[in-house]
């Protein structure tokens, strides 16, 4: 039986079941749009993408459950929303920027929902949530309106969006490759959804962006509540905004625009300024002195700004996770009773040193400053995220060390960890120190490159680090 016929029959059965259950009293506009695009080849192909790849992600997520299943259902919702938008595009004239923001608002709401799950305190499935949230930016290819819209071409946008998400996807593969095959299955299914799934779909049907109708209905920004004037439009970089725009002539100028408008008005620009008299000058004022008393200095120093940091903590939770939080000025922190199934998570520590005397599964440093950590062996990876001026020493072996969004990191490797894979992203001042071949030799220091040269060669982009001549 033809695939498109099966899809239409399934859609009809779904609507009949909803009607029989009292879920709908009539067929709404969304259902009409679904029927209108059911026979279109591009819509049929998108239905195949959902049934083959999106369902593969949700099926793999069911084996894991929890937050992974929740974010997978959000991915499914996002693709269904995009399917509806593709149908509506064929019935709608190309809108302006404000109308486009209103048109794409349903997709923006779903993407925001996924991003909210990945924010806040890191959970045990942080990498899953981050991979899913970052991957959904690939669906924004639908906002491409031309070469001057500020976006890459749709195919390139999908590929680059997945490359961003793949950074965290690879961490899932490394962490669970020898521990839980269901997580590996989910990560691979998610990658296949975007590359080659969504990429090939866009390449086949929308390589130059969506095709809007020339005679369809128009999109109008949603009216603001109340009777006041509408808010000014957002910056052009934002493709998802529900705020409406006013003509430039009808809304008041703000910022530098207001300054230039007054300069060009022909009115005396100094007419509204107050004249500064001799008594108002700082050197002639008697109510202010330039000397700060010692007591005032001490009072300022003794009342630091309030912070939201919690109490210091170093404990084993649920028998599986060591947590070290908010340790400040502690140089004798030790974790000695640990095993290869436990993880270590260090958060918000400053000017402290932690020793891990045993093999653990994973180590994560998050938002730490001037923190030192010494460990023997790690099974999966050691991760340094959102840190400043940290030092990490591996005395045994570590398959992977990843540094993300960190400024200043010294990595000391042992002879057993010289083959460690080091991954960096959005980081600077990363130095790797390796032991000398002689017993009493000095450590060899190697700075990881921060600048790269990208050259298009033989049909692909070739990237090489920048090398400087001299010392």
């Amino acid at each position: 039986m033809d695939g498109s016929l099966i899809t239409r029959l399934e859609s009809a059965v779904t609507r009949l079941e909803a009607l029989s259950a009292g879920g709908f009293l009539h067929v709404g506009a969304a259902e009409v749009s679904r029927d209108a695009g059911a026979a279109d080849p591009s819509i049929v192909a998108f239905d195949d993408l959902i049934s083959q790849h999106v369902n593969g992600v949700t099926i793999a997520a069911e084996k894991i459950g929890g937050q992974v299943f929740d974010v997978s259902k959000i991915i499914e919702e996002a693709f269904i929303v995009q399917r509806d938008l593709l149908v509506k595009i064929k019935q709608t004239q190309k809108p302006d920027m404000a109308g486009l923001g209103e048109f794409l608002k349903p997709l923006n709401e779903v993407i925001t929902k996924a991003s909210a799950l990945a924010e806040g305190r890191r959970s045990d499935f942080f990498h899953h949530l981050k991979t899913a949230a970052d991957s959904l930016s690939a669906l924004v290819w639908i906002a491409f309106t031309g070469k001057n819209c500020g976006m890459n071409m749709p195919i390139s946008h999908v590929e680059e969006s997945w490359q961003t998400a793949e950074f965290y996807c690879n961490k899932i593969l490394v962490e669970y490759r020898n521990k839980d095959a269901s997580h590996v299955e989910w990560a691979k299914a998610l990658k296949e959804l975007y590359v080659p799934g969504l990429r090939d779909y866009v390449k086949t049907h929308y390589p130059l962006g969506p095709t809007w109708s020339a005679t369809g209905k128009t999109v109008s920004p949603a009216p603001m509540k109340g009777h006041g004037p509408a808010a000014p439009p957002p910056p052009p970089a934002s493709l998802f905004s529900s705020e409406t725009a006013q003509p430039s002539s009808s809304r008041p100028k703000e910022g530098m625009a207001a300054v230039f408008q007054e300069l060009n008005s022909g009115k005396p620009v100094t007419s509204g300024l107050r004249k500064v008299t001799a008594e108002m000058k700082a050197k002639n004022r008697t109510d202010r002195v330039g000397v700060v008393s010692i007591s005032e200095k001490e009072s300022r120093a003794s009342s630091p700004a309030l912070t939201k940091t919690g109490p210091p903590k170093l404990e084993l939770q649920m028998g599986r996770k060591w947590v070290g939080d908010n340790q400040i000025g502690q140089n004798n922190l030790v974790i000695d009773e640990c095993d290869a199934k436990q993880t270590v998570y260090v958060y918000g520590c400053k000017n402290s040193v932690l020793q891990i005397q045993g093999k653990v599964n994973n180590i994560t440093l998050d938002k730490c400053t001037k923190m030192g950590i010494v460990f023997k062996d790690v099974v999966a990876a050691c991760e340094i995220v959102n840190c400043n001026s940290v030092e990490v020493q591996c005395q045994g072996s570590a398959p992977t060390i990843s540094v993300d969004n960190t400024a200043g990191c010294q990595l000391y490797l042992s002879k057993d960890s010289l083959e460690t894979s080091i991954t960096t992203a959005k980081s600077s001042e990363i130095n790797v120190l390796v032991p000398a071949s002689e017993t009493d030799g000095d450590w060899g220091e190697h700075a990881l490159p921060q600048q790269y040269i990208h050259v298009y060669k033989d049909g692909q982009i070739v990237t090489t680090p920048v090398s400087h001549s001299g010392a």
Side-chain angles (χ1 to χ4, degrees), residues 323-345:
V323 176
D325 286 357
N326 307 315
Q327 298 287 346
I328 299 177
Q330 301 295 326
N331 296 323
N332 298 314
L333 302 173
V334 178
I335 297 177
D336 52 3
E337 298 180 0
C338 52
D339 58 55
K341 295 182 180 180
Q342 296 174 348
T343 61
V344 178
Y345 180 71

mmCIF file with all atom_site columns, all heavy atoms in Angstrom, residues 323-345:
data_model
loop_
_atom_site.group_PDB
_atom_site.id
_atom_site.type_symbol
_atom_site.label_atom_id
_atom_site.label_alt_id
_atom_site.label_comp_id
_atom_site.label_asym_id
_atom_site.label_entity_id
_atom_site.label_seq_id
_atom_site.pdbx_PDB_ins_code
_atom_site.Cartn_x
_atom_site.Cartn_y
_atom_site.Cartn_z
_atom_site.occupancy
_atom_site.B_iso_or_equiv
_atom_site.pdbx_formal_charge
_atom_site.auth_seq_id
_atom_site.auth_comp_id
_atom_site.auth_asym_id
_atom_site.auth_atom_id
_atom_site.pdbx_PDB_model_num
ATOM 1   N N   . VAL A 1 323 ? 29.597 14.741 46.274 1.00 0.00 ? 323 VAL A N   1
ATOM 2   C CA  . VAL A 1 323 ? 29.269 16.137 45.995 1.00 0.00 ? 323 VAL A CA  1
ATOM 3   C C   . VAL A 1 323 ? 30.126 17.034 46.876 1.00 0.00 ? 323 VAL A C   1
ATOM 4   O O   . VAL A 1 323 ? 30.114 16.895 48.104 1.00 0.00 ? 323 VAL A O   1
ATOM 5   C CB  . VAL A 1 323 ? 27.775 16.430 46.236 1.00 0.00 ? 323 VAL A CB  1
ATOM 6   C CG1 . VAL A 1 323 ? 27.490 17.913 46.041 1.00 0.00 ? 323 VAL A CG1 1
ATOM 7   C CG2 . VAL A 1 323 ? 26.916 15.607 45.296 1.00 0.00 ? 323 VAL A CG2 1
ATOM 8   N N   . GLY A 1 324 ? 30.865 17.933 46.247 1.00 0.00 ? 324 GLY A N   1
ATOM 9   C CA  . GLY A 1 324 ? 31.631 18.935 46.976 1.00 0.00 ? 324 GLY A CA  1
ATOM 10  C C   . GLY A 1 324 ? 31.182 20.325 46.557 1.00 0.00 ? 324 GLY A C   1
ATOM 11  O O   . GLY A 1 324 ? 31.423 20.724 45.414 1.00 0.00 ? 324 GLY A O   1
ATOM 12  N N   . ASP A 1 325 ? 30.513 21.033 47.439 1.00 0.00 ? 325 ASP A N   1
ATOM 13  C CA  . ASP A 1 325 ? 29.923 22.333 47.094 1.00 0.00 ? 325 ASP A CA  1
ATOM 14  C C   . ASP A 1 325 ? 30.480 23.434 47.997 1.00 0.00 ? 325 ASP A C   1
ATOM 15  O O   . ASP A 1 325 ? 30.656 23.248 49.210 1.00 0.00 ? 325 ASP A O   1
ATOM 16  C CB  . ASP A 1 325 ? 28.392 22.303 47.260 1.00 0.00 ? 325 ASP A CB  1
ATOM 17  C CG  . ASP A 1 325 ? 27.710 21.525 46.157 1.00 0.00 ? 325 ASP A CG  1
ATOM 18  O OD1 . ASP A 1 325 ? 28.413 21.065 45.256 1.00 0.00 ? 325 ASP A OD1 1
ATOM 19  O OD2 . ASP A 1 325 ? 26.473 21.366 46.222 1.00 0.00 ? 325 ASP A OD2 1
ATOM 20  N N   . ASN A 1 326 ? 30.736 24.603 47.381 1.00 0.00 ? 326 ASN A N   1
ATOM 21  C CA  . ASN A 1 326 ? 30.983 25.860 48.104 1.00 0.00 ? 326 ASN A CA  1
ATOM 22  C C   . ASN A 1 326 ? 32.109 25.760 49.131 1.00 0.00 ? 326 ASN A C   1
ATOM 23  O O   . ASN A 1 326 ? 32.042 26.366 50.201 1.00 0.00 ? 326 ASN A O   1
ATOM 24  C CB  . ASN A 1 326 ? 29.688 26.318 48.803 1.00 0.00 ? 326 ASN A CB  1
ATOM 25  C CG  . ASN A 1 326 ? 28.509 26.385 47.849 1.00 0.00 ? 326 ASN A CG  1
ATOM 26  O OD1 . ASN A 1 326 ? 28.624 26.902 46.747 1.00 0.00 ? 326 ASN A OD1 1
ATOM 27  N ND2 . ASN A 1 326 ? 27.375 25.844 48.271 1.00 0.00 ? 326 ASN A ND2 1
ATOM 28  N N   . GLN A 1 327 ? 33.146 25.008 48.811 1.00 0.00 ? 327 GLN A N   1
ATOM 29  C CA  . GLN A 1 327 ? 34.317 24.939 49.680 1.00 0.00 ? 327 GLN A CA  1
ATOM 30  C C   . GLN A 1 327 ? 35.231 26.123 49.354 1.00 0.00 ? 327 GLN A C   1
ATOM 31  O O   . GLN A 1 327 ? 35.620 26.320 48.205 1.00 0.00 ? 327 GLN A O   1
ATOM 32  C CB  . GLN A 1 327 ? 35.070 23.620 49.473 1.00 0.00 ? 327 GLN A CB  1
ATOM 33  C CG  . GLN A 1 327 ? 34.257 22.375 49.814 1.00 0.00 ? 327 GLN A CG  1
ATOM 34  C CD  . GLN A 1 327 ? 34.078 22.189 51.300 1.00 0.00 ? 327 GLN A CD  1
ATOM 35  O OE1 . GLN A 1 327 ? 34.768 22.826 52.111 1.00 0.00 ? 327 GLN A OE1 1
ATOM 36  N NE2 . GLN A 1 327 ? 33.176 21.300 51.697 1.00 0.00 ? 327 GLN A NE2 1
ATOM 37  N N   . ILE A 1 328 ? 35.583 26.919 50.350 1.00 0.00 ? 328 ILE A N   1
ATOM 38  C CA  . ILE A 1 328 ? 36.400 28.112 50.149 1.00 0.00 ? 328 ILE A CA  1
ATOM 39  C C   . ILE A 1 328 ? 37.604 28.070 51.099 1.00 0.00 ? 328 ILE A C   1
ATOM 40  O O   . ILE A 1 328 ? 37.439 27.936 52.317 1.00 0.00 ? 328 ILE A O   1
ATOM 41  C CB  . ILE A 1 328 ? 35.578 29.391 50.399 1.00 0.00 ? 328 ILE A CB  1
ATOM 42  C CG1 . ILE A 1 328 ? 34.397 29.467 49.423 1.00 0.00 ? 328 ILE A CG1 1
ATOM 43  C CG2 . ILE A 1 328 ? 36.456 30.636 50.247 1.00 0.00 ? 328 ILE A CG2 1
ATOM 44  C CD1 . ILE A 1 328 ? 33.497 30.664 49.636 1.00 0.00 ? 328 ILE A CD1 1
ATOM 45  N N   . GLY A 1 329 ? 38.814 28.152 50.518 1.00 0.00 ? 329 GLY A N   1
ATOM 46  C CA  . GLY A 1 329 ? 40.030 28.180 51.327 1.00 0.00 ? 329 GLY A CA  1
ATOM 47  C C   . GLY A 1 329 ? 40.333 26.886 52.037 1.00 0.00 ? 329 GLY A C   1
ATOM 48  O O   . GLY A 1 329 ? 40.977 26.891 53.078 1.00 0.00 ? 329 GLY A O   1
ATOM 49  N N   . GLN A 1 330 ? 39.894 25.752 51.486 1.00 0.00 ? 330 GLN A N   1
ATOM 50  C CA  . GLN A 1 330 ? 40.130 24.448 52.107 1.00 0.00 ? 330 GLN A CA  1
ATOM 51  C C   . GLN A 1 330 ? 41.145 23.671 51.252 1.00 0.00 ? 330 GLN A C   1
ATOM 52  O O   . GLN A 1 330 ? 40.834 23.265 50.129 1.00 0.00 ? 330 GLN A O   1
ATOM 53  C CB  . GLN A 1 330 ? 38.821 23.654 52.216 1.00 0.00 ? 330 GLN A CB  1
ATOM 54  C CG  . GLN A 1 330 ? 37.746 24.344 53.020 1.00 0.00 ? 330 GLN A CG  1
ATOM 55  C CD  . GLN A 1 330 ? 38.122 24.495 54.472 1.00 0.00 ? 330 GLN A CD  1
ATOM 56  O OE1 . GLN A 1 330 ? 38.792 23.639 55.053 1.00 0.00 ? 330 GLN A OE1 1
ATOM 57  N NE2 . GLN A 1 330 ? 37.694 25.595 55.090 1.00 0.00 ? 330 GLN A NE2 1
ATOM 58  N N   . ASN A 1 331 ? 42.348 23.448 51.778 1.00 0.00 ? 331 ASN A N   1
ATOM 59  C CA  . ASN A 1 331 ? 43.402 22.793 51.007 1.00 0.00 ? 331 ASN A CA  1
ATOM 60  C C   . ASN A 1 331 ? 43.611 21.331 51.390 1.00 0.00 ? 331 ASN A C   1
ATOM 61  O O   . ASN A 1 331 ? 44.545 20.701 50.894 1.00 0.00 ? 331 ASN A O   1
ATOM 62  C CB  . ASN A 1 331 ? 44.719 23.554 51.192 1.00 0.00 ? 331 ASN A CB  1
ATOM 63  C CG  . ASN A 1 331 ? 44.649 24.965 50.630 1.00 0.00 ? 331 ASN A CG  1
ATOM 64  O OD1 . ASN A 1 331 ? 44.016 25.193 49.603 1.00 0.00 ? 331 ASN A OD1 1
ATOM 65  N ND2 . ASN A 1 331 ? 45.300 25.903 51.301 1.00 0.00 ? 331 ASN A ND2 1
ATOM 66  N N   . ASN A 1 332 ? 42.771 20.798 52.267 1.00 0.00 ? 332 ASN A N   1
ATOM 67  C CA  . ASN A 1 332 ? 42.956 19.413 52.720 1.00 0.00 ? 332 ASN A CA  1
ATOM 68  C C   . ASN A 1 332 ? 41.708 18.569 52.498 1.00 0.00 ? 332 ASN A C   1
ATOM 69  O O   . ASN A 1 332 ? 41.389 17.690 53.298 1.00 0.00 ? 332 ASN A O   1
ATOM 70  C CB  . ASN A 1 332 ? 43.343 19.396 54.207 1.00 0.00 ? 332 ASN A CB  1
ATOM 71  C CG  . ASN A 1 332 ? 44.656 20.112 54.472 1.00 0.00 ? 332 ASN A CG  1
ATOM 72  O OD1 . ASN A 1 332 ? 45.628 19.898 53.753 1.00 0.00 ? 332 ASN A OD1 1
ATOM 73  N ND2 . ASN A 1 332 ? 44.681 20.957 55.491 1.00 0.00 ? 332 ASN A ND2 1
ATOM 74  N N   . LEU A 1 333 ? 40.981 18.831 51.416 1.00 0.00 ? 333 LEU A N   1
ATOM 75  C CA  . LEU A 1 333 ? 39.793 18.043 51.104 1.00 0.00 ? 333 LEU A CA  1
ATOM 76  C C   . LEU A 1 333 ? 40.214 16.700 50.509 1.00 0.00 ? 333 LEU A C   1
ATOM 77  O O   . LEU A 1 333 ? 41.020 16.655 49.572 1.00 0.00 ? 333 LEU A O   1
ATOM 78  C CB  . LEU A 1 333 ? 38.895 18.800 50.120 1.00 0.00 ? 333 LEU A CB  1
ATOM 79  C CG  . LEU A 1 333 ? 38.407 20.190 50.572 1.00 0.00 ? 333 LEU A CG  1
ATOM 80  C CD1 . LEU A 1 333 ? 37.671 20.880 49.444 1.00 0.00 ? 333 LEU A CD1 1
ATOM 81  C CD2 . LEU A 1 333 ? 37.509 20.058 51.790 1.00 0.00 ? 333 LEU A CD2 1
ATOM 82  N N   . VAL A 1 334 ? 39.683 15.604 51.044 1.00 0.00 ? 334 VAL A N   1
ATOM 83  C CA  . VAL A 1 334 ? 40.100 14.270 50.610 1.00 0.00 ? 334 VAL A CA  1
ATOM 84  C C   . VAL A 1 334 ? 38.868 13.388 50.442 1.00 0.00 ? 334 VAL A C   1
ATOM 85  O O   . VAL A 1 334 ? 37.971 13.380 51.296 1.00 0.00 ? 334 VAL A O   1
ATOM 86  C CB  . VAL A 1 334 ? 41.078 13.619 51.624 1.00 0.00 ? 334 VAL A CB  1
ATOM 87  C CG1 . VAL A 1 334 ? 41.454 12.209 51.155 1.00 0.00 ? 334 VAL A CG1 1
ATOM 88  C CG2 . VAL A 1 334 ? 42.321 14.462 51.794 1.00 0.00 ? 334 VAL A CG2 1
ATOM 89  N N   . ILE A 1 335 ? 38.832 12.654 49.340 1.00 0.00 ? 335 ILE A N   1
ATOM 90  C CA  . ILE A 1 335 ? 37.849 11.575 49.126 1.00 0.00 ? 335 ILE A CA  1
ATOM 91  C C   . ILE A 1 335 ? 38.660 10.294 49.008 1.00 0.00 ? 335 ILE A C   1
ATOM 92  O O   . ILE A 1 335 ? 39.370 10.083 48.018 1.00 0.00 ? 335 ILE A O   1
ATOM 93  C CB  . ILE A 1 335 ? 37.012 11.808 47.860 1.00 0.00 ? 335 ILE A CB  1
ATOM 94  C CG1 . ILE A 1 335 ? 36.176 13.091 47.991 1.00 0.00 ? 335 ILE A CG1 1
ATOM 95  C CG2 . ILE A 1 335 ? 36.106 10.618 47.593 1.00 0.00 ? 335 ILE A CG2 1
ATOM 96  C CD1 . ILE A 1 335 ? 35.376 13.421 46.741 1.00 0.00 ? 335 ILE A CD1 1
ATOM 97  N N   . ASP A 1 336 ? 38.585 9.436  50.034 1.00 0.00 ? 336 ASP A N   1
ATOM 98  C CA  . ASP A 1 336 ? 39.422 8.238  50.047 1.00 0.00 ? 336 ASP A CA  1
ATOM 99  C C   . ASP A 1 336 ? 38.633 6.947  49.905 1.00 0.00 ? 336 ASP A C   1
ATOM 100 O O   . ASP A 1 336 ? 39.187 5.935  49.475 1.00 0.00 ? 336 ASP A O   1
ATOM 101 C CB  . ASP A 1 336 ? 40.271 8.200  51.328 1.00 0.00 ? 336 ASP A CB  1
ATOM 102 C CG  . ASP A 1 336 ? 39.428 8.380  52.583 1.00 0.00 ? 336 ASP A CG  1
ATOM 103 O OD1 . ASP A 1 336 ? 38.199 8.482  52.451 1.00 0.00 ? 336 ASP A OD1 1
ATOM 104 O OD2 . ASP A 1 336 ? 40.012 8.423  53.688 1.00 0.00 ? 336 ASP A OD2 1
ATOM 105 N N   . GLU A 1 337 ? 37.360 6.948  50.261 1.00 0.00 ? 337 GLU A N   1
ATOM 106 C CA  . GLU A 1 337 ? 36.560 5.728  50.154 1.00 0.00 ? 337 GLU A CA  1
ATOM 107 C C   . GLU A 1 337 ? 35.658 5.830  48.930 1.00 0.00 ? 337 GLU A C   1
ATOM 108 O O   . GLU A 1 337 ? 34.507 6.259  49.006 1.00 0.00 ? 337 GLU A O   1
ATOM 109 C CB  . GLU A 1 337 ? 35.733 5.528  51.423 1.00 0.00 ? 337 GLU A CB  1
ATOM 110 C CG  . GLU A 1 337 ? 36.582 5.346  52.675 1.00 0.00 ? 337 GLU A CG  1
ATOM 111 C CD  . GLU A 1 337 ? 35.727 5.160  53.914 1.00 0.00 ? 337 GLU A CD  1
ATOM 112 O OE1 . GLU A 1 337 ? 34.483 5.169  53.762 1.00 0.00 ? 337 GLU A OE1 1
ATOM 113 O OE2 . GLU A 1 337 ? 36.287 4.999  55.008 1.00 0.00 ? 337 GLU A OE2 1
ATOM 114 N N   . CYS A 1 338 ? 36.184 5.468  47.787 1.00 0.00 ? 338 CYS A N   1
ATOM 115 C CA  . CYS A 1 338 ? 35.426 5.579  46.529 1.00 0.00 ? 338 CYS A CA  1
ATOM 116 C C   . CYS A 1 338 ? 35.686 4.343  45.677 1.00 0.00 ? 338 CYS A C   1
ATOM 117 O O   . CYS A 1 338 ? 36.638 3.589  45.902 1.00 0.00 ? 338 CYS A O   1
ATOM 118 C CB  . CYS A 1 338 ? 35.825 6.844  45.775 1.00 0.00 ? 338 CYS A CB  1
ATOM 119 S SG  . CYS A 1 338 ? 37.598 7.041  45.526 1.00 0.00 ? 338 CYS A SG  1
ATOM 120 N N   . ASP A 1 339 ? 34.815 4.150  44.663 1.00 0.00 ? 339 ASP A N   1
ATOM 121 C CA  . ASP A 1 339 ? 34.983 3.013  43.758 1.00 0.00 ? 339 ASP A CA  1
ATOM 122 C C   . ASP A 1 339 ? 34.662 3.446  42.327 1.00 0.00 ? 339 ASP A C   1
ATOM 123 O O   . ASP A 1 339 ? 34.247 4.582  42.078 1.00 0.00 ? 339 ASP A O   1
ATOM 124 C CB  . ASP A 1 339 ? 34.091 1.837  44.178 1.00 0.00 ? 339 ASP A CB  1
ATOM 125 C CG  . ASP A 1 339 ? 32.621 2.201  44.229 1.00 0.00 ? 339 ASP A CG  1
ATOM 126 O OD1 . ASP A 1 339 ? 32.093 2.687  43.211 1.00 0.00 ? 339 ASP A OD1 1
ATOM 127 O OD2 . ASP A 1 339 ? 31.991 2.009  45.290 1.00 0.00 ? 339 ASP A OD2 1
ATOM 128 N N   . ALA A 1 340 ? 34.840 2.533  41.406 1.00 0.00 ? 340 ALA A N   1
ATOM 129 C CA  . ALA A 1 340 ? 34.740 2.851  39.980 1.00 0.00 ? 340 ALA A CA  1
ATOM 130 C C   . ALA A 1 340 ? 33.318 3.121  39.518 1.00 0.00 ? 340 ALA A C   1
ATOM 131 O O   . ALA A 1 340 ? 33.118 3.567  38.373 1.00 0.00 ? 340 ALA A O   1
ATOM 132 C CB  . ALA A 1 340 ? 35.337 1.711  39.146 1.00 0.00 ? 340 ALA A CB  1
ATOM 133 N N   . LYS A 1 341 ? 32.313 2.880  40.364 1.00 0.00 ? 341 LYS A N   1
ATOM 134 C CA  . LYS A 1 341 ? 30.931 3.145  39.986 1.00 0.00 ? 341 LYS A CA  1
ATOM 135 C C   . LYS A 1 341 ? 30.445 4.513  40.460 1.00 0.00 ? 341 LYS A C   1
ATOM 136 O O   . LYS A 1 341 ? 29.338 4.930  40.123 1.00 0.00 ? 341 LYS A O   1
ATOM 137 C CB  . LYS A 1 341 ? 30.008 2.065  40.557 1.00 0.00 ? 341 LYS A CB  1
ATOM 138 C CG  . LYS A 1 341 ? 30.249 0.677  39.972 1.00 0.00 ? 341 LYS A CG  1
ATOM 139 C CD  . LYS A 1 341 ? 29.261 -0.328 40.545 1.00 0.00 ? 341 LYS A CD  1
ATOM 140 C CE  . LYS A 1 341 ? 29.490 -1.720 39.960 1.00 0.00 ? 341 LYS A CE  1
ATOM 141 N NZ  . LYS A 1 341 ? 28.530 -2.713 40.509 1.00 0.00 ? 341 LYS A NZ  1
ATOM 142 N N   . GLN A 1 342 ? 31.253 5.206  41.218 1.00 0.00 ? 342 GLN A N   1
ATOM 143 C CA  . GLN A 1 342 ? 30.845 6.491  41.779 1.00 0.00 ? 342 GLN A CA  1
ATOM 144 C C   . GLN A 1 342 ? 31.357 7.651  40.931 1.00 0.00 ? 342 GLN A C   1
ATOM 145 O O   . GLN A 1 342 ? 32.368 7.535  40.244 1.00 0.00 ? 342 GLN A O   1
ATOM 146 C CB  . GLN A 1 342 ? 31.372 6.629  43.216 1.00 0.00 ? 342 GLN A CB  1
ATOM 147 C CG  . GLN A 1 342 ? 30.778 5.606  44.176 1.00 0.00 ? 342 GLN A CG  1
ATOM 148 C CD  . GLN A 1 342 ? 31.412 5.667  45.552 1.00 0.00 ? 342 GLN A CD  1
ATOM 149 O OE1 . GLN A 1 342 ? 32.444 6.307  45.746 1.00 0.00 ? 342 GLN A OE1 1
ATOM 150 N NE2 . GLN A 1 342 ? 30.801 4.999  46.517 1.00 0.00 ? 342 GLN A NE2 1
ATOM 151 N N   . THR A 1 343 ? 30.636 8.758  40.991 1.00 0.00 ? 343 THR A N   1
ATOM 152 C CA  . THR A 1 343 ? 31.035 9.980  40.296 1.00 0.00 ? 343 THR A CA  1
ATOM 153 C C   . THR A 1 343 ? 31.344 11.070 41.321 1.00 0.00 ? 343 THR A C   1
ATOM 154 O O   . THR A 1 343 ? 30.883 11.009 42.468 1.00 0.00 ? 343 THR A O   1
ATOM 155 C CB  . THR A 1 343 ? 29.928 10.469 39.353 1.00 0.00 ? 343 THR A CB  1
ATOM 156 O OG1 . THR A 1 343 ? 28.746 10.771 40.123 1.00 0.00 ? 343 THR A OG1 1
ATOM 157 C CG2 . THR A 1 343 ? 29.589 9.411  38.314 1.00 0.00 ? 343 THR A CG2 1
ATOM 158 N N   . VAL A 1 344 ? 32.100 12.076 40.874 1.00 0.00 ? 344 VAL A N   1
ATOM 159 C CA  . VAL A 1 344 ? 32.468 13.202 41.736 1.00 0.00 ? 344 VAL A CA  1
ATOM 160 C C   . VAL A 1 344 ? 32.038 14.487 41.043 1.00 0.00 ? 344 VAL A C   1
ATOM 161 O O   . VAL A 1 344 ? 32.395 14.728 39.881 1.00 0.00 ? 344 VAL A O   1
ATOM 162 C CB  . VAL A 1 344 ? 33.982 13.237 42.010 1.00 0.00 ? 344 VAL A CB  1
ATOM 163 C CG1 . VAL A 1 344 ? 34.344 14.447 42.880 1.00 0.00 ? 344 VAL A CG1 1
ATOM 164 C CG2 . VAL A 1 344 ? 34.433 11.944 42.688 1.00 0.00 ? 344 VAL A CG2 1
ATOM 165 N N   . TYR A 1 345 ? 31.272 15.317 41.752 1.00 0.00 ? 345 TYR A N   1
ATOM 166 C CA  . TYR A 1 345 ? 30.796 16.586 41.210 1.00 0.00 ? 345 TYR A CA  1
ATOM 167 C C   . TYR A 1 345 ? 31.185 17.701 42.173 1.00 0.00 ? 345 TYR A C   1
ATOM 168 O O   . TYR A 1 345 ? 30.748 17.733 43.323 1.00 0.00 ? 345 TYR A O   1
ATOM 169 C CB  . TYR A 1 345 ? 29.279 16.553 41.026 1.00 0.00 ? 345 TYR A CB  1
ATOM 170 C CG  . TYR A 1 345 ? 28.706 17.839 40.473 1.00 0.00 ? 345 TYR A CG  1
ATOM 171 C CD1 . TYR A 1 345 ? 28.929 18.212 39.148 1.00 0.00 ? 345 TYR A CD1 1
ATOM 172 C CD2 . TYR A 1 345 ? 27.944 18.675 41.274 1.00 0.00 ? 345 TYR A CD2 1
ATOM 173 C CE1 . TYR A 1 345 ? 28.410 19.389 38.630 1.00 0.00 ? 345 TYR A CE1 1
ATOM 174 C CE2 . TYR A 1 345 ? 27.414 19.858 40.769 1.00 0.00 ? 345 TYR A CE2 1
ATOM 175 C CZ  . TYR A 1 345 ? 27.649 20.202 39.455 1.00 0.00 ? 345 TYR A CZ  1
ATOM 176 O OH  . TYR A 1 345 ? 27.141 21.365 38.950 1.00 0.00 ? 345 TYR A OH  1
#
